[in-house]
């Protein structure tokens, strides 16, 4: 018995440490597979020996029975908000006000990104997470303890640090969702016939405010801690001192936090974070500057709702007002008809915007968007600009409602909409828009990755009748390509080489490349993991498909419809005849650039998480390690890379930027 109890404790400790290394130190020490294995072992042991269950076991992160409603929690100390500085001048005014109140004193500031998520408060008593709440109105919030417990980067018990864990600690922070996770979640939501979230913030908020915490447990939420509420048994001289102890206790802080000593340094930080905004993997809507000294904070004091010692430096608006000149329907590769608003061109955050997607007819009807309307347009990250709302006050009466046409604007085919779909679709499979679109998608980087086969060339090939579908690509020869207008011999040779390189692929890429409606990259991977090879997938009936976790009726139907269509099966067959070879199993193809090679990742990666990058390397036959030695083949350096990059240089180990690494992975 004692043996079992100690094994349970040991596994808990390994899992907690793995979480800590992964989330707080951003330095994973075990693989996802190993993590899952340990988690299963712990679950089984706790099931078999319920007397060893504890409330802070990592198995408790799967959520609890649903609530009828949330109860409220009154914050011991109200959560304040921040004043805004709209530009650099207003930041300077803030700094000058502080210098004036503290004449002759040196003032240090802590600069932090302003995370665009949901503010929460976590309460720890004697190191144990006892409750957590939303900000609410600042005085009272909702009790979301069960939901917060499912977030792996929130420790259920604090670790010991250089300073003892206090008897009471209230920490405030922002719960958020990475943009990539948000996109993946939306892909999944749509596939399951559920509505998509508008942005990562909404999806974090929606996930956290679930009455059923088991749903929250499935959502990829994360937290950055940034301020102190009530606390007993410890005090801090500076804000930075507080922030720096948090990771020791297991609480996550933002890696971009910086101590600034002069106004110029603050302005520099403000500019640099705004410039890098799109390359950071989560949404931020500004920066926050806080006076570092707690004593000075107390002298400066608070106003009614916000402190005088802190300010939010907002970023330039990503929204502008402009007019819709006309609305046109575009036809995508799956026949989906998407209405696009053509706008009077407007500058948004340094980019000229002249089109915005209107998504579908429901969206147009819901927002009551009409041709001629003045609208608020928003640009976020690398997302296509969107119409946020109509300014109805500016209507003159001459605005015209819009209806997606019943015939395809490209081929004149029927445009219809099935009951369970929001999209209208052109039903003609020979619609040229679909053919070109399908081929463009098929060759794209994350699909078959045929470099050099650009949109113009595809258009030329389709228009001249050289190719009619994706399989034709694999029967092309150099002379046929070289015969095309404006095509040099050398370029034709390169394209043939790129086609050759693309022949070896993975099942996930292949499925994604086929362009089945509602089957994106993520779904490709889900199907690969489940079915391992193409024949098994094609043979799977609707019922079988629906049993796969993450696949709902819409995706199951779409996959079945796709493979039930004889033309599509023929195309798949011809692709294989053309030499496309799909690696068996989940391991993907072995690639000599990866096989047996050791990779180390350091610094902050922006395009994938470190564990994703490590998994990719492993899938391609390489090894991922955490320390640099002479045995290391490649060190991939992200942002703010430190000693590992230096060591790699000293040892003469090949250094790759994140983009170079992406390129290496992408070309496989
Ligand atoms: S400090 C008294 N730091 O911004 C200081 N807030 O308008 C209280 N936020 O409700 C907040 N990132 O949701 C602080 N690094 C950061 C933040 C941050 C995001 C949010 C938070 C708060 C709002 C203030």
């Amino acid at each position: 018995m004692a043996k079992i109890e100690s094994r349970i404790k040991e596994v808990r400790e390994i899992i907690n440490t793995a979480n800590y290394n992964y989330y707080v130190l951003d330095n994973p020490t075990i693989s996802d597979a190993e993590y899952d294995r340990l988690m299963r072992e712990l679950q089984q042991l706790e099931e078999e020996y319920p007397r060893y269950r504890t409330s802070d076991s990592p198995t408790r992160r799967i959520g609890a029975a649903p609530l009828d409603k949330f109860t409220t929690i009154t914050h011991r100390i109200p959560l304040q908000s921040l004043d805004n500085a709209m530009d650099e001048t207003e930041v300077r005014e803030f700094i000058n006000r502080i210098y004036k109140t503290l004449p002759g004193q040196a003032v240090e500031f802590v600069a932090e990104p302003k995370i665009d998520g949901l503010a929460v408060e976590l309460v720890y008593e004697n190191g144990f997470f006892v409750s957590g709440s939303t900000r609410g109105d600042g005085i009272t919030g909702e009790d979301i303890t069960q939901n917060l417990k499912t977030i792996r980067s929130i420790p259920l018990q604090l670790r010991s640090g250089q300073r003892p864990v206090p008897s009471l600690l209230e920490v405030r922070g922002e719960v958020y969702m990475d943009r990539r996770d948000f996109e993946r979640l939306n892909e999944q939501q749509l596939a399951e016939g559920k509505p998509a979230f508008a942005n990562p913030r909404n999806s974090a908020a929606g996930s956290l405010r679930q009455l059923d915490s088991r749903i929250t447990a499935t959502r990829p939420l994360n937290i950055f801690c940034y301020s102190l509420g009530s606390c007993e048994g410890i005090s801090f001289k500076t804000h930075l001192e507080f922030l720096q102890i948090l990771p020791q206790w297991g609480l996550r802080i933002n890696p971009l936090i910086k101590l600034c000593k002069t106004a110029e340094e603050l302005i520099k930080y403000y500019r640099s974070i705004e410039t890098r905004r799109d390359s950071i993997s989560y949404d931020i809507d500004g920066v926050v500057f806080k006076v570092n000294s707690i004593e000075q904070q107390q002298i400066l004091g608070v106003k009614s709702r916000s402190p005088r010692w802190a300010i939010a430096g907002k970023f330039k608006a990503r929204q502008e007002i402009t007019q819709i000149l006309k609305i046109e329907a575009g036809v995508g590769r799956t026949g989906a008809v998407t209405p696009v608003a053509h706008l009077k061109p407007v500058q948004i955050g340094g980019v000229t915007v002249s089109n915005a997607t209107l998504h579908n007819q429901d969206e147009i009807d819901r927002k009551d968007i009409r041709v001629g309307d003045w609208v608020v347009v928003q640009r976020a990250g690398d997302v296509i600009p969107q119409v946020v709302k109509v300014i109805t006050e500016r209507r003159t009466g001459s605005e015209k409602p819009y209806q997606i046409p019943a015939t395809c604007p490209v081929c004149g085919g029927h445009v219809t909409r099935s009951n369970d779909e929001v999209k209208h679709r052109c039903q003609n499979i020979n619609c040229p828009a679909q053919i070109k679109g399908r081929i463009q998608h098929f060759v794209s980087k994350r699909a078959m990755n045929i470099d050099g086969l650009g949109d113009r060339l595809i258009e030329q090939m389709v228009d001249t009748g050289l190719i009619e579908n994706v399989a034709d690509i694999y029967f092309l020869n150099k002379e046929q390509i070289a015969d095309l207008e404006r095509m040099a011999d050398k370029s034709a040779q390169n394209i043939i080489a790129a086609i050759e390189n693309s022949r070896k692929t993975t099942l996930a890429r292949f499925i994604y490349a086929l362009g089945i409606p509602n089957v994106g990259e993520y779904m490709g991977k889900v199907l690969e993991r489940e079915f391992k090879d193409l024949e098994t997938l094609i043979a799977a009936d609707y019922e079988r498909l629906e049993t796969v976790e993450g696949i709902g009726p819409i995706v199951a139907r779409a996959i079945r419809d796709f493979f039930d269509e004889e033309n599509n099966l023929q195309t798949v067959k011809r692709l294989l005849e053309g030499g496309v070879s799909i690696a068996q199993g989940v391991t993907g193809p072995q690639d000599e650039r990866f096989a047996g090679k050791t990779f180390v990742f350091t610094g902050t990666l922006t395009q994938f998480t470190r564990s994703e990058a490590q998994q990719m390397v492993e899938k391609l036959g390489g090894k991922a390690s955490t320390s640099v030695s002479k045995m290391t083949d490649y060190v991939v350096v992200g942002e703010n890379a430190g000693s590992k990059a230096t060591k790699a240089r000293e040892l003469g180990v090949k250094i790759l930027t994140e983009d170079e690494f992406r390129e290496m992975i992408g070309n496989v």
Side-chain angles (χ1 to χ4, degrees), residues 248-307:
Q248 295 185 21
W249 289 338
L251 293 156
R252 193 161 178 261
I253 59 167
N254 190 283
L256 302 171
I257 291 171
K258 190 173 185 287
L259 182 69
C260 297
K261 301 207 167 154
T262 62
E264 288 325 304
E265 275 183 65
L266 285 186
I267 299 292
K268 208 172 131 200
Y269 183 87
Y270 189 14
R271 284 185 195 156
S272 108
I273 298 287
E274 181 161 16
T275 319
R276 292 165 56 189
R277 184 177 184 185
D278 287 341
S279 67
I280 294 175
S281 65
Y282 42 88
D283 278 359
I284 53 178
D285 55 349
V287 290
V288 183
F289 299 131
K290 300 171 186 173
V291 167
N292 191 23
S293 151
I294 306 287
E295 196 185 326
Q296 287 178 335
Q297 284 185 5
Q298 276 156 1
I299 299 172
L300 288 158
V302 296
K303 296 191 291 188
S304 61
R305 293 190 60 241
S306 56

Side-chain angles (χ1 to χ4, degrees), residues 438-482:
R438 272 180 191 282
I439 299 174
Q440 282 163 3
H441 169 76
F442 183 84
V443 305
S444 64
K445 215 171 177 59
R446 288 146 89 153
M448 298 302 282
N449 188 27
I450 308 183
D451 215 17
L453 208 50
D455 293 0
R456 292 273 300 273
L457 197 55
I458 291 172
E459 216 150 277
Q460 237 181 319
M461 287 180 171
V462 174
D463 291 346
T464 56
L466 196 55
I467 56 175
E468 277 179 8
N469 60 41
V470 294
D472 292 341
I473 295 172
Y474 290 98
F475 294 89
L476 288 170
N477 61 40
K478 195 182 95 182
E479 288 65 38
Q480 288 171 310
I481 300 177

Side-chain angles (χ1 to χ4, degrees), residues 140-152:
T140 56
E142 284 171 330
D143 182 343
I144 50 162
T145 310
Q146 293 307 331
N147 305 54
L148 290 167
K149 272 188 171 178
T150 68
I151 302 179
R152 287 190 194 168

Side-chain angles (χ1 to χ4, degrees), residues 80-82 112-115 118-119 135 174 226-227 288 290 307 309:
Q80 291 197 299
S81 54
L82 293 168
E112 311 172 6
K114 186 165 186 292
I115 316 300
L118 199 79
R135 176 182 190 279
E174 201 85 352
Y226 52 62
S227 83
V288 183
K290 300 171 186 173
W309 45 264

Side-chain angles (χ1 to χ4, degrees), residues 174-191:
E174 201 85 352
V175 170
Y176 70 95
M177 197 180 283
D178 257 0
R179 269 199 295 272
R180 278 177 75 98
D181 287 331
F182 153 74
E183 280 160 20
R184 209 172 287 176
L185 174 63
N186 263 355
E187 203 185 291
Q188 233 172 310
Q189 287 278 111
L190 289 172

Side-chain angles (χ1 to χ4, degrees), residues 512-523:
Y512 173 58
L514 291 176
I516 305 169
N518 291 309
V519 177
E521 238 182 327
Y522 170 75
M523 214 38 85

